[in-house]
Amino acid sequence: MQTLPPLSLYVHVPWCVQKCPYCDFNSHALKGGVPEADYVDALLADLTQDLHYVQQRELTTIFIGGGTPSLLSAEAIERLLQGIAKRIPLADDCEITLEANPGTVESDKFAQFQQAGINRISIGVQSFQPQKLQALGRIHGRNEAINAAQMAQQAGLQSFNLDLMHGLPDQSVADAIADLTQGIALAPPHLSWYQLTIEPNTLFHSRPPTLPDDDILWDIYEKGDEKLRQAGYQQYEVSAYFKSDSQVDYRCRHNLNYWRFGDYLGIGCGAHGKITLPVEGRIIRTSKIKHPKGYLEASNGYRHQTQAIAVADLPFEYFMNRLRLFEAFPQNEYSKLTGQAMSQIEPILANAEAQGLLSLTEESIQLTAKGHRYLNSLLEMFLPE
């Protein structure tokens, strides 16, 4: 019998000050002020239309991403969160994250967001080096990034995250480790450290910069991973680390729900959702109208597309998410969350174990160090023939 997983909510805010050349998210350079009152109204109407997908669950996490959500006022965020809570019950310990860029931060804005109901901030730093920030199209400087982290420390939040990138244009190993050293010095409870990739439909794709070669990239990863571990951080996901603390779990619970193949509603311009429908025996993905103008003027609903995940695609869809995490997970979880028999994937699991990519017991499955290094090759094994 297919099990109904935990439920999260993703809220997309599409505006930013300027579009970064590496960004393939649905973001639009701001022209004039943010129409925040109209947009919050639209978000809540969008959510109302999706309430039948809740299926008597509470929200365990909310993530407000973009774009640059910190362009919104604290008053708009508070009205949004209050509207959400009126429509769907929130778990007592609901994690509520807001993405923020250092360039949009004012001296007291994090404290205002915290008072509005935000309990976790994710700060898009990417680099502390002026030349690298310029190459990435970022509008903040080193000092703004440092100040933003310090303000997050002082705001009374449950946690905050710093986003850092490596493998940047013309980046040396020393450059990458210097960025990481500065990030660690700011003592974030959570640190996302991920490699720049060139995505289609970006400026970097049409005008590719010179990126470090594979040997340099691996050297950066090995030295950076060692430095993070020496500083007391544990890696729990392909590109995420948390400060180990016996009293508090600083892992991002919203992302954990994604990677554990949980459900999430997606509201806002171009937002995506994934919903399990056990009665119908299927899992669907939803997407919303992509352009802000079309979204704000929507008269027949906000949904762009609803599509069921094909049965043949479920192994790849499940493991593409689940194997981002380094934790062991139950063997029977695949059947519970997808409604499919384990016999569908047992030959693939046996082959992956034989190649040293997965570690299997009678009860659990876990990614190995070799599987982490060759994750793309491992995931290809789950693609339909």
Side-chain angles (χ1 to χ4, degrees), residues 24-87:
D24 69 334
F25 294 126
N26 183 34
S27 58
H28 303 263
L30 189 62
K31 297 175 181 177
V34 177
E36 59 180 27
D38 289 343
Y39 195 64
V40 171
D41 287 343
L43 288 170
L44 294 176
D46 186 354
L47 180 61
T48 299
Q49 292 184 353
D50 277 358
L51 289 180
H52 58 290
Y53 290 144
V54 174
Q55 302 172 89
Q56 301 181 324
R57 288 174 288 183
E58 63 183 11
L59 289 177
T60 59
T61 68
I62 300 171
F63 195 101
I64 307 173
T68 307
S70 54
L71 289 171
L72 295 178
S73 67
E75 291 77 16
I77 294 294
E78 183 174 26
R79 187 163 75 89
L80 172 63
L81 294 177
Q82 288 176 349
I84 292 168
K86 286 179 180 177
R87 289 161 174 80

Side-chain angles (χ1 to χ4, degrees), residues 6-11 58-64 81 84 88-97 119-120 251-258 263-265:
L7 181 66
S8 294
L9 173 66
Y10 175 73
V11 182
E58 63 183 11
L59 289 177
T60 59
T61 68
I62 300 171
F63 195 101
I64 307 173
L81 294 177
I84 292 168
I88 309 176
L90 307 188
D92 291 340
D93 62 346
C94 185
E95 175 192 87
I96 307 176
T97 301
N119 54 37
R120 185 176 181 274
R251 293 178 298 177
C252 177
R253 289 196 286 118
H254 187 83
N255 285 349
L256 283 174
N257 191 46
Y258 281 162
D263 279 357
Y264 52 96
L265 298 169

